[in-house]
């Protein structure tokens, strides 16, 4: 028995096959989504108040020879391991920090830091400190300490109430355009680990290389991008009111 295909059926089949082909072509040409920004909280704590006295940001680079120890008694701060390893003993507990790890060390308590036996230990120590602690040494000999940055004035616009203090590692993909204008609800101190950051303030864009430190107080409207061909990775030592996002879009209200 032979079946005869009508013109209508033939047209329908042709349209269906054409639609399938177009669908397959469109799927094959779909542009993959660009790499996303990644954020990793390295260490964090909550502070019940930040208005008892003016507070400043301070950052130090610390190196401990292999197997050596240093005691630390300073203001609230967070350490971040750059190379090697560090054993931190605090309140009867011990934690080993390896590359990329961090730990909050509360002010007023003494901790002991010991470099691993495999080589010297290098780490960053970020502080939220009152003026009286700015010139007070933190790590003791045999640690080699180099101050990297301190704010010239106290952090402005800190209000009564609880605050979050954290250290966050952020990575921007390569060739990422500058993000929309925004500002901090509290304040932050950036440290560029790798890559090139494009920092825009008041219409002026400045490229920031590894090792750069950038202070962002409340009400500073700014943007960040990555003009380089490699990912941009930086640390943000941040303080913000509890329950309020660390970064807010646009410009701050004029009545604040």
């Amino acid at each position: 028995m032979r079946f005869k295909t009508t013109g209508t059926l033939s047209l329908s089949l042709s349209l269906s096959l054409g639609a399938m082909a177009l669908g397959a072509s469109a799927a094959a040409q779909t542009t993959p989504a660009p790499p996303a920004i990644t954020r990793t909280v390295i260490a964090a704590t909550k502070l019940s108040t930040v208005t008892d006295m003016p507070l400043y940001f301070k950052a130090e680079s610390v190196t401990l020879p292999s197997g050596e120890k240093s005691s630390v008694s300073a203001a609230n701060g967070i350490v971040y391991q750059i190379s090697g390893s560090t054993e931190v003993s605090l309140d009867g507990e011990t934690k080993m920090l390896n590359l990329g790890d961090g730990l909050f060390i509360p002010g007023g308590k003494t901790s002991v830091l010991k470099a691993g036996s495999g080589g010297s230990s290098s780490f960053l120590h970020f502080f939220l400190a009152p003026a009286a602690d700015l010139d007070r040494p933190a790590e003791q000999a045999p640690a080699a300490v180099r101050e990297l940055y301190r704010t010239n004035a106290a952090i402005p616009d800190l209000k009564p109430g609880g605050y979050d203090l954290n250290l966050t590692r952020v990575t921007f993909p390569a060739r990422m355009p500058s993000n929309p204008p925004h500002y901090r609800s509290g304040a932050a101190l950036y440290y560029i680990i790798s890559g090139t950051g494009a920092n825009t303030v008041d219409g002026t864009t400045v490229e920031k290389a590894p090792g750069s430190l950038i202070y962002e107080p409340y009400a500073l409207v700014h943007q960040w991008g990555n003009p380089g061909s490699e990912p941009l990775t930086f640390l943000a030592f941040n303080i913000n009111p509890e329950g309020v996002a660390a970064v807010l879009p646009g410009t701050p209200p004029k009545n604040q």
Side-chain angles (χ1 to χ4, degrees):
M1 180 180 296
R2 300 180 61 189
F3 293 92
K4 183 178 180 181
T5 303
T6 66
T8 302
L9 178 58
S10 177
L11 177 60
S12 178
L13 286 171
S14 297
L15 291 174
S16 298
L17 291 172
M20 291 173 63
L22 287 173
S25 176
Q29 296 177 14
T30 299
T31 303
I37 298 173
T38 60
R39 294 178 173 85
T40 304
V41 177
I42 303 300
T45 191
K46 293 186 180 296
L47 304 175
S48 59
T49 180
V50 294
T51 54
D52 289 343
M53 62 188 74
L55 295 173
Y56 299 73
F57 281 146
K58 179 181 174 182
E60 294 179 344
S61 171
V62 183
T63 300
L64 265 174
S66 177
E68 295 288 350
K69 295 180 180 179
S70 174
S71 61
V72 176
S73 180
N76 287 325
I78 295 176
V79 295
Y80 180 84
Q81 194 71 31
I82 293 292
S83 65
S85 61
T86 304
E87 181 184 85
V88 183
S89 299
L90 177 66
D91 288 341
E93 297 184 359
T94 299
K95 180 176 180 179
M96 181 64 77
L97 301 182
N98 296 303
L99 175 64
D101 292 337
L103 183 68
F104 169 70
I105 298 181
K109 293 190 176 183
T110 299
S111 59
V112 176
L113 283 64
K114 180 181 178 181
S117 58
S120 63
S121 167
S122 295
F123 56 90
L124 302 174
H125 200 156
F126 297 91
F127 299 95
L128 181 67
D133 285 343
L134 288 176
D135 294 322
R136 185 177 301 166
E139 286 78 11
Q140 305 295 320
V145 180
R146 180 168 61 96
E147 182 174 310
L148 301 176
Y149 184 90
R150 69 169 68 182
T151 47
N152 294 322
I155 300 171
D157 299 293
L158 297 180
K159 300 174 177 60
Y163 271 72
D164 292 320
L165 178 68
N166 62 75
L167 183 69
T168 300
R169 184 173 57 236
V170 184
T171 298
F172 284 5
R175 307 295 185 190
M176 192 194 89
S178 293
N179 50 22
H182 58 278
Y183 67 99
R184 292 268 165 183
S185 62
L189 179 62
Y190 279 29
Y191 178 88
I192 307 294
I193 296 177
S194 61
T196 301
N199 182 220
T200 302
V201 178
D202 292 334
T204 300
T205 300
V206 179
E207 292 192 356
K208 301 294 184 178
S212 299
L213 287 117
I214 304 95
Y215 173 48
E216 295 180 352
Y218 174 80
L220 177 71
V221 179
H222 59 281
Q223 298 169 262
W224 278 98
N226 178 12
S229 58
E230 301 294 333
L232 163 69
T233 299
F234 59 87
L235 299 173
F237 183 57
N238 174 80
I239 182 171
N240 60 278
E242 190 173 357
V244 179
V247 175
L248 299 172
T251 59
K254 292 183 179 181
N255 60 351
Q256 292 191 15

